[in-house]
Amino acid sequence: MTHTALSLRFAAPDVRPGAAPDFSQFQVPVAGEMPRPAIDATPETLRDLAFGMIRVLDDTGQAVGPWADMPDLTDDMRREGLRHMLKLRAYDARMLLAQRQQKPSFYMQHLGEEAVSCAFQRALRPGDMNFPTYRQAGLLIASGYPVKTMMCQVYGNDGDPVRGRQLPVFYSSKEHGFFSISGNLGTQYIQAVGWAMGSAIAGDDKIAAAWIGDGSTAESDFHAAMVFASTYRAPVVLNIVNNQWAISTFQGLARGGAGSFAARGHGFGIPALRVDGNDYLAVLAVARWATERARANLGPTLIEHVTYRAAGHSTSDDPSAYRPSDEDACWPLGDPVLRLKQHLIARGAWSAERHIQAEAEVMAEIAAAQRKAEAIGTLHSGRRPSPAEMFDDVYAEMPPHLRRQRQQAGF
Amino acid sequence: MATEILMPALSPTMEEGTLAKWLVKEGETVKSGQILAEIETDKATMEFEAVDEGVIGKLLVAEGTAGVKVNTPIAVLIGEGESADVAPAPAAAAAPTAAPASAAPAIATAAAAGPVEVKVSRSPDWPEGTAMKTMTMREALREAMAEEMRGNDRVYLMGEEVGEYQGAYKISQGLLDEFGPKRVVDTPITEHGFAGIAVGSAMAGLNPIVEFMTFNFAMQAIDHLLNSAAKTLYMSGGQMGCPIVFRGPNGAAARVGAQHSQDYAAWYAQIPGLKVVMPYSASDAKGLLKQAIRDPNPVIFLENEILYGKSFEVPVLDDFTIPFGKARIWREGTDVTIVSFGIGMTYALEAADKLAADGISAEVIDLRTLRPIDYDTVLASVQKTNRCVTVEEGWPVGSIGNHISATIMMKAFDYLDAPVINLTGKDVPMPYAANLEKLALVTTAEVVEAVKSVCYR
C-alpha cells in the first residue's frame, strides 16, 4: 500500500501589483455568434450559453447577431439608455467628491458597471421588485427616481426617505421596485426568490430580480436561493454581477473549478446565460428574454453579467494594493458608455459634439440636484432627521417603553 | 477669495493620516477633480482630489508629515492673481474651540465639595517593575496571534481579507508574509461556510483563529458557533472538543448603521460551552488573546473598531497571558462602583474623572471576560461602596448589567444603599445619522448622572 501526502490548491489571480495587467486567459468571443433560443427551450439545450458570452455590439459599434433583433428599440430609447449611464456616472463623480468633503461618510461608485443596472431596468414593469446589492443604483436612475432623493439618503439629511437609519447608498423605494440593501452579503438573494414565490402564490403578475456579486455567490444563501428557485420554478431573474473583484479577492476564489458563474445554474436545472455586461444592448436583450420567461411561468433564469469594477470597492478602499493600478484600462470589454456612444454614432443617431453637450447637461442637472439636497443638509450640517423619529418603526405600533424613552430624550 | 483645503477623512473612522506626497506645487492651477495628494490612512494609501478650481497658494503641511488630524488645513487655494498671504486668517479664527463657556461655572460650583484623590490601580497580571511599551490595540492583537502561531504550528488564521489585504482592519498585517497562505487563509465570502470549515478542522485537531470582518456577519455562521462549537464536547460525552477562537470587531464603530453596529456581548455570554472575552486595553487584549488561543474550548473574542487605534502601555515580556475570570480594577474608589467592559470602559473612566472633580470617588472595574465572570471582585467592591452603576453599549433587555444587578441583589442585598442602575444603549436598531447614533449610545454624561443619582447627589 502506498501513501501519498495530500495537498490542496490555493487559487490566486494571474497578476498582483507591480506586474503588467494580463487578460490573456480571458476569452472575448466574437459578437453576434451566440444563438438566441426560444424562451421555452430546455436547460439541457442551452448549455453553451453559460460558457460563451452573449455580445451584441461589435468592435465597430454595429449591433449584430440574433440577440440584436429588437425591432421596437428606437433611436430615442437607445439615446435614453446612454443618458441614464451618463447620469449615473455623473452622480457617482459628484458623490465621490462630496465624500471627500465628508458630506457623507462613505460612498460606493459604479464606474465601468453602468450598463448592467441601467439596461436591465428597461425590461421590468412597474410593481416588479429588485433585491439589489451595492452597485445597482442604475435601477433607480433608469426608473426615474429623483437623484435629489438619492443624495438625501446618502447624506442622511431631513429629505432622506429612510430617516437617517441606513448607510449611504442603501436606498429603498417600494414604488420604484428597489427593496433595500443588505449589508450582510447574500441574504437578499433567497429573499428575492421568496418574494417571487409569494407573488405567484397570491396570483399576482409581478416578478422579482435578485442581485449578487461574484464573491457573495459563496454565501449559503445563494445556493439555497437556487434550490428554491429551481424546485418551485419561481418567477425570478437571478443576476450575478461578476465585476472580477470582491474587495481584494479575485473572482476565481468564489468560482472555484467551474468555467463560469453562469455554470452554477446547470446543477439546479436553471437556464443560464453569460452576457457581456459592458454591452448595453446585450444586457437589455438577455433581460428581456429572462423576464419574459418568468412572466410566462417558465421559471427562473440565471444571468452572469461579466463586467469590471474600474474603481475601488468603496471610498475606504485602495485597489492598487491588490491589483495592477492600470488594470482597468486593459479590461478587454471596454467602457459601456463609450461602446453605446460608438453604436449611436455608427447609426447616425449621435455625434461627438452632441455627446459632449449631453455630458454637460447631465452634469448641470446633477449639480442642481446636489444644491437642492445640500440646502436641506448633509451628514454634519443643516436639517437632519429628528430624534423624535428614532423610536418609530421598531415595531408596527410603538410600545410604551419606547414612548417613554422618546419622552426622556425630550421628544 | 482664499479657501483652505482641509485634511480629508477617507473612511468613517479615520482621525488622522500621513500626507505621503503632494502631486501639485505652489502656484499651480488646479481643476475640480484633479488629484492633489496621496494620503496614507491606517487602512490604505488613497488619492485626494480637488473639489474647487483655483491656484495652489500655499502648501501648509510638508509631504511625509505623519499624524495630520482630519480637518487640519493642509493647503490654501487662491483665485487667479490673489496673494497667498491672506491665507492664515481663517485658520486663526477656527482655532479656539475649547470648552464652552457655560461649563466653567458648573465645575466651580461642584468643586465646593472638594475634589477627591485619584488612585490608579496597578494591573496584577505581570510583575511590578516590568518594562512597558506603548502599543495600539491593533498591534497587540497582531503580536498575540504571531507569537502563538510561532509557538504552535497547528494554530492558523482564516477569514475574509485576512491575507493579501492584511485584514479588513489591518489586524493581520504581516502575518501572510511570515506564515504563508496555508496558515493565513483568505476565504470565500461565506461566514456559514468558513466557520463550519474551521469548526471541523478544530475537531480534527487544529487550533483555528477565525476572523469575522464584524461580529454582525457571524449571525450567518451562528449555527456553527452555538450548535456545533459550543455543544459538541458535551454531546459527544467528552470525546470531541473544539479548540477555536472566533474574533473580530463587535459593537458600534462610527456611522455604519444598524447591521454593522450590534454588541453581542450579552448574547454569547448566555451560552454554556463558550468562553467570552471583551478587552478594553491593548495589554489585556494581548494577554487574553494568547490565553484564548491556548484554551481547549471555543472562545468568542469581542474586539472594537474604535479601540483598534487606541494606544496603551503593554508589558515587554517574551510570553505573558492573562487568566479568564479575573476583573481588573482600573481605579480604586470609595463612594460608588462602576462596572463595565470593552469600550464601555471609555465612558466609565471619563465619568470617574469628572466625578472626582465633583468630590465623588468612583471605583471602576473592567470585567474583561464575560464567561467566566468575576463576581467576587464586583461583590467585594459593592460591599465597600454600597452603590453600583453598570455601563455597556448593548441593549437593555437581558444585558450584562441586568445579570450583575441580579447577582448583587442575591449576594449583597443588605449592603446596597441605592438600587443598581444599568446604563445601556437605547432600545432601537442603530441609526446611521451622526446625531441619532450619538443619542443611541451610552454617554459619559449619562454615567455621571446615574452615579449622582445612586449617591443621592
Side-chain angles (χ1 to χ4, degrees):
Chain A
M1 198 189 294
T2 58
H3 295 277
T4 304
L6 302 172
S7 67
L8 299 173
R9 176 180 67 169
F10 289 84
D14 292 334
V15 285
R16 283 292 187 188
D22 179 8
F23 286 109
S24 58
Q25 301 302 307
F26 183 87
Q27 303 292 321
V28 184
V30 174
E33 283 203 332
M34 296 305 280
R36 186 183 189 282
I39 57 167
D40 59 354
T42 59
E44 295 74 33
T45 63
L46 302 173
R47 191 186 175 281
D48 291 350
L49 291 170
F51 294 100
M53 194 187 292
I54 296 167
R55 307 183 72 225
V56 168
L57 293 173
D58 70 11
D59 293 345
T60 66
Q62 300 295 330
V64 294
W67 290 92
D69 185 22
M70 292 182 276
D72 64 310
L73 198 67
T74 62
D75 283 346
D76 277 346
M77 289 160 80
R78 291 166 207 250
R79 279 189 292 260
E80 193 183 28
L82 181 64
R83 201 168 182 97
H84 288 153
M85 290 197 285
L86 287 175
K87 200 165 162 182
L88 181 55
R89 190 167 285 188
Y91 172 69
D92 277 343
R94 295 300 296 196
M95 288 297 95
L96 201 65
L97 285 177
Q99 190 277 335
R100 293 293 187 246
Q101 298 168 292
Q102 279 294 287
K103 287 172 182 173
S105 58
F106 174 81
Y107 189 72
M108 302 176 96
Q109 58 173 327
H110 302 71
L111 194 65
E113 300 179 41
E114 292 90 346
V116 175
S117 55
C118 287
F120 188 90
Q121 198 284 331
R122 304 318 287 159
L124 296 175
R125 294 181 191 165
D128 292 342
M129 185 59 81
N130 288 286
F131 287 75
T133 171
Y134 303 130
R135 258 174 274 278
Q136 283 87 45
L139 295 169
L140 286 170
I141 298 239
S143 77
Y145 191 71
V147 171
K148 187 195 108 184
T149 310
M150 293 168 70
M151 289 170 171
C152 288
Q153 193 286 325
V154 169
Y155 290 155
N157 67 19
D158 199 30
D160 172 12
V162 298
R163 314 310 298 145
R165 293 174 189 158
Q166 274 280 38
L167 285 177
V169 316
F170 282 39
Y171 316 102
S172 180
S173 170
K174 191 174 177 182
E175 194 190 335
H176 285 259
F178 200 95
F179 174 71
S180 179
I181 291 176
S182 174
N184 300 0
L185 301 180
T187 56
Q188 75 284 359
Y189 220 62
I190 182 75
Q191 290 163 356
V193 177
W195 192 97
M197 289 172 67
S199 178
I201 288 169
D204 207 336
D205 62 353
K206 311 289 190 291
I207 63 167
W211 296 88
I212 202 165
D214 45 282
S216 303
T217 58
E219 291 281 11
S220 309
D221 307 75
F222 171 79
H223 302 270
M226 298 288 279
V227 171
F228 278 74
S230 164
T231 303
Y232 294 93
R233 274 200 179 185
V236 60
V237 181
L238 300 159
N239 294 287
I240 301 170
V241 182
N242 175 7
N243 67 8
Q244 313 301 319
W245 290 97
I247 310 187
S248 77
T249 310
F250 88 115
Q251 47 85 24
L253 202 63
R255 179 170 49 78
S260 73
F261 285 95
R264 292 274 191 271
H266 287 154
F268 296 93
I270 296 175
L273 312 177
R274 188 161 176 265
V275 63
D276 177 347
N278 288 18
D279 177 341
Y280 182 92
L281 295 183
V283 174
L284 179 61
V286 299
R288 285 178 166 199
W289 192 85
T291 52
E292 219 180 305
R293 272 179 50 80
R295 293 189 207 289
N297 276 319
L298 292 166
T301 308
L302 183 68
I303 302 174
E304 176 185 351
H305 303 263
V306 182
T307 182
Y308 185 85
R309 193 194 77 211
H313 170 71
S314 72
T315 46
S316 307
D317 177 36
D318 167 21
S320 71
Y322 51 80
R323 67 186 191 192
S325 52
D326 54 345
E327 196 181 77
D328 62 308
C330 305
W331 171 240
L333 299 179
D335 177 334
V337 170
L338 296 183
R339 287 177 66 191
L340 188 58
K341 172 189 168 192
Q342 183 194 27
H343 167 67
L344 281 163
I345 291 173
R347 276 175 78 89
W350 199 241
S351 68
E353 295 72 31
R354 284 179 74 181
H355 191 80
I356 291 166
Q357 190 188 348
E359 280 181 325
E361 284 166 11
V362 163
M363 189 50 92
E365 185 189 341
I366 298 291
Q370 190 180 10
R371 280 192 293 276
K372 283 182 190 162
E374 292 184 4
I376 297 173
T378 67
L379 177 61
H380 296 296
S381 63
R383 282 188 289 130
R384 286 172 284 169
S386 166
E389 293 172 68
M390 172 172 154
F391 300 92
D392 291 345
D393 305 328
V394 181
Y395 300 97
E397 288 176 5
M398 186 180 287
H401 80 280
L402 287 182
R403 199 174 298 282
R404 277 195 299 278
Q405 284 198 348
R406 189 177 72 184
Q407 284 161 358
Q408 281 164 8
F411 294 92
Chain B
M1 206 186 96
T3 332
E4 286 179 339
I5 298 174
L6 305 180
M7 181 71 170
L10 299 172
S11 74
T13 49
M14 174 176 167
E15 289 173 1
E16 60 177 43
T18 300
L19 208 165
K21 194 174 177 192
W22 279 112
L23 300 170
V24 291
K25 295 189 194 74
E26 290 183 358
E28 191 175 331
T29 304
V30 296
K31 286 189 187 140
S32 174
Q34 183 175 342
I35 298 160
L36 298 180
E38 285 177 5
I39 288 171
E40 280 174 23
T41 70
D42 52 3
K43 289 181 180 163
T45 302
M46 302 179 76
E47 290 171 340
F48 171 48
E49 308 93 345
V51 174
D52 303 306
E53 288 187 353
V55 176
I56 299 291
K58 238 183 199 160
L59 301 179
L60 302 174
V61 174
E63 66 179 28
T65 309
V68 183
K69 300 279 182 214
V70 166
N71 288 336
T72 308
I74 54 173
V76 177
L77 198 65
I78 54 175
E80 292 281 353
E82 274 182 345
S83 159
D85 295 334
V86 295
T97 45
S102 61
I107 290 167
T109 317
V116 297
E117 190 192 346
V118 176
K119 280 172 75 179
V120 177
S121 174
R122 193 181 64 77
S123 169
D125 302 301
W126 46 84
E128 202 158 9
T130 301
M132 305 293 278
K133 65 177 168 181
T134 303
M135 191 185 281
T136 61
M137 172 76 97
R138 175 179 283 116
E139 292 162 339
L141 291 165
R142 183 187 59 230
E143 275 200 358
M145 288 195 287
E147 288 176 10
E148 293 304 301
M149 288 174 79
R150 281 175 209 133
N152 179 356
D153 62 13
R154 295 201 296 193
V155 179
Y156 75 96
L157 172 67
M158 90 189 303
E160 291 154 358
E161 310 283 349
V162 297
E164 285 291 341
Y165 202 66
Q166 314 284 322
Y169 297 101
K170 299 290 174 267
I171 306 300
S172 51
Q173 189 104 45
L175 296 186
L176 176 65
D177 284 346
E178 184 175 352
F179 299 104
K182 288 186 183 175
R183 295 185 68 197
V184 181
V185 184
D186 275 327
T187 67
I189 307 172
T190 166
E191 287 78 13
H192 186 71
F194 68 72
I197 298 289
V199 166
S201 77
M203 288 170 176
L206 299 185
N207 297 93
I209 306 168
V210 175
E211 175 173 309
F212 290 119
M213 200 179 281
T214 98
F215 260 94
N216 297 268
F217 303 163
M219 287 292 95
Q220 286 166 315
I222 200 75
D223 187 50
H224 293 293
L225 274 60
L226 305 194
N227 278 325
S228 299
K231 297 176 185 171
T232 302
L233 183 67
Y234 185 78
M235 294 191 299
S236 67
Q239 293 182 79
M240 282 168 290
C242 190
I244 191 168
V245 178
F246 296 102
R247 50 154 291 271
N250 167 69
R255 279 3 66 72
V256 293
Q259 289 180 321
H260 296 84
S261 300
Q262 189 166 339
D263 173 11
Y264 289 93
W267 282 47
Y268 289 109
Q270 217 261 332
I271 309 299
L274 295 180
K275 296 194 176 179
V276 183
V277 183
M278 190 152 157
Y280 160 63
S281 72
S283 56
D284 288 351
K286 186 174 177 188
L288 290 165
L289 183 54
K290 284 166 68 72
Q291 180 75 17
I293 294 167
R294 294 176 193 187
D295 199 291
N297 298 287
V299 179
I300 305 287
F301 198 91
L302 303 169
E303 301 158 9
N304 184 284
E305 189 189 335
I306 290 170
L307 294 178
Y308 279 154
K310 199 168 162 173
S311 292
F312 295 86
E313 294 293 291
V314 177
V316 183
L317 292 170
D318 285 340
D319 193 13
F320 83 100
T321 57
I322 295 174
F324 292 171
K326 278 303 294 173
R328 174 169 174 183
I329 301 171
W330 276 76
R331 290 169 60 118
E332 290 176 16
T334 52
D335 297 333
V336 63
T337 301
I338 304 177
V339 180
S340 188
F341 52 91
I343 195 169
M345 286 296 296
T346 316
Y347 312 114
L349 290 170
E350 276 179 12
D353 279 340
K354 289 187 195 302
L355 289 161
D358 268 2
I360 295 175
S361 162
E363 180 144 302
V364 182
I365 297 175
D366 177 2
L367 292 174
R368 304 199 290 193
T369 65
L370 304 173
R371 180 180 274 273
I373 205 160
D374 184 358
Y375 301 108
D376 291 346
T377 298
V378 175
L379 290 169
S381 175
V382 171
Q383 285 170 0
K384 177 175 72 175
T385 64
N386 311 112
R387 295 169 168 87
C388 183
V389 169
T390 67
V391 184
E392 68 200 282
E393 281 200 342
W395 286 313
V397 178
S399 66
I400 297 293
N402 290 169
H403 177 63
I404 294 291
S405 309
T407 306
I408 294 171
M409 186 186 73
M410 289 188 282
K411 306 253 170 92
F413 185 74
D414 291 334
Y415 289 90
L416 284 176
D417 283 347
V420 178
I421 291 181
N422 297 152
L423 292 174
T424 63
K426 309 303 180 292
D427 202 8
V428 295
M430 181 63 72
Y432 164 75
N435 61 327
L436 304 185
E437 184 183 62
K438 205 172 164 194
L439 267 171
L441 292 166
V442 67
T443 63
T444 301
E446 285 173 330
V447 181
V448 169
E449 190 189 356
V451 166
K452 288 186 174 171
S453 167
V454 299
C455 292
Y456 304 110
R457 293 274 290 264

